[in-house]
Amino acid sequence: MKVHTLTKIFSSLLGACIALLGVIWVFIAVSGAVKAGPVSGYAAGAGFLLVAAPLLAFPFSARIAKSLLVLAMFALAFGMLWLAFQPSLPINHPALVQAAAIVFGITVLARVGLALRRKRSALGS
């Protein structure tokens, strides 16, 4: 078997396992068995499904998988920023957690911006 075929098979299996885990988390949240509340269960399930989407799309289209990966990274960065700076939580977040959330968001934004810039400059030259 070729390496590319094995990569596609492994990507599909890993994506299916992560998607199954996400669906299980959503069902657990729907049943009310989450101590922290159903919102945290829904968020965990949606996070797993968000991460599984590019893995499941990769065997069919690498371009769509890249787009889904960028969308997932932006969603995870937004979620980290929301959790790090949410004022309604009773606990104080350390400055290190807030700094890590900011750095991750800036890194994702810079990476996507630089990739788009490189793509535009390659088309123009």
Side-chain angles (χ1 to χ4, degrees):
M1 270 190 175
K2 294 181 183 177
V3 175
H4 190 65
T5 305
L6 287 174
T7 305
K8 286 184 176 183
I9 291 171
F10 182 71
S11 170
S12 296
L13 289 175
L14 187 63
C17 290
I18 293 173
L20 180 65
L21 186 61
V23 169
I24 289 170
W25 264 105
V26 170
F27 281 140
I28 288 172
V30 167
S31 71
V34 181
K35 274 189 172 182
V39 174
S40 62
Y42 293 138
F48 281 119
L49 291 173
L50 190 66
V51 170
L55 292 171
L56 291 173
F58 176 70
F60 304 107
S61 172
R63 194 172 118 207
I64 292 173
K66 286 179 186 179
S67 299
L68 286 172
L69 183 62
V70 168
L71 177 70
M73 294 301 282
F74 274 127
L76 290 174
F78 178 74
M80 282 179 62
L81 288 168
W82 179 66
L83 287 174
F85 292 100
Q86 188 177 17
S88 65
L89 291 178
I91 58 172
N92 291 330
H93 295 289
L96 186 62
V97 171
Q98 293 175 342
I102 291 170
V103 168
F104 180 68
I106 290 172
T107 304
V108 169
L109 190 63
R111 174 68 178 107
V112 170
L114 289 173
L116 289 174
R117 182 176 170 204
R118 188 177 342 120
K119 191 176 187 180
R120 284 188 191 138
S121 67
L123 290 175
S125 57

